[in-house]
Amino acid sequence: MLKAFIITFLSFVLFQLAQAASVTILSPKTNDEFKAGQTVEIKWKLAEDASVDKVMIALASGPAQALLIDEVIENSVDAKSGIYKWKIPENIKPNPK
């Protein structure tokens, strides 16, 4: 049986740089912790004047100014939905602190 690791999310949702000002990430928050196997609701809000159709959701680590994508979770999510549910895989590697 796989041990459930606690995952610290330094940053979870990435958007293309040109779209970053149009999107506000509501959850998860920096340093939220989750266990493998848990379902996480990723939520965001678009600015009223946003012209974003799709967003990429990725697991990332590092300082906010230089995030590194560790894994793409979903490449093309409808931006207007404002929510994506992701079940954390049982075999995910913990994020080193």
Side-chain angles (χ1 to χ4, degrees):
M1 186 172 180
L2 295 173
K3 184 177 178 182
F5 291 106
I6 294 185
I7 309 300
T8 301
F9 290 91
L10 297 177
S11 183
F12 204 109
V13 182
L14 293 179
F15 300 96
Q16 295 175 4
L17 292 175
Q19 300 170 348
S22 300
V23 179
T24 302
I25 300 169
L26 304 175
S27 68
K29 301 288 186 189
T30 302
N31 295 323
D32 279 356
E33 293 186 353
F34 304 96
K35 292 184 179 186
Q38 184 176 355
T39 299
V40 178
E41 286 190 349
I42 303 165
K43 296 180 182 179
W44 62 92
K45 181 179 179 183
L46 295 178
E48 289 183 27
D49 60 347
S51 60
V52 180
D53 292 325
K54 300 287 181 184
V55 295
M56 178 179 70
I57 300 175
L59 186 59
S61 60
Q65 306 82 359
L67 286 172
L68 298 173
I69 296 175
D70 298 319
E71 176 184 347
V72 174
I73 295 168
E74 186 64 48
N75 199 30
S76 185
V77 177
D78 178 16
K80 292 178 179 68
S81 70
I83 189 169
Y84 182 84
K85 292 183 181 183
W86 178 55
K87 183 173 181 182
I88 301 171
E90 292 288 342
N91 63 346
I92 195 165
K93 295 178 182 175
N95 185 7
K97 292 185 178 185

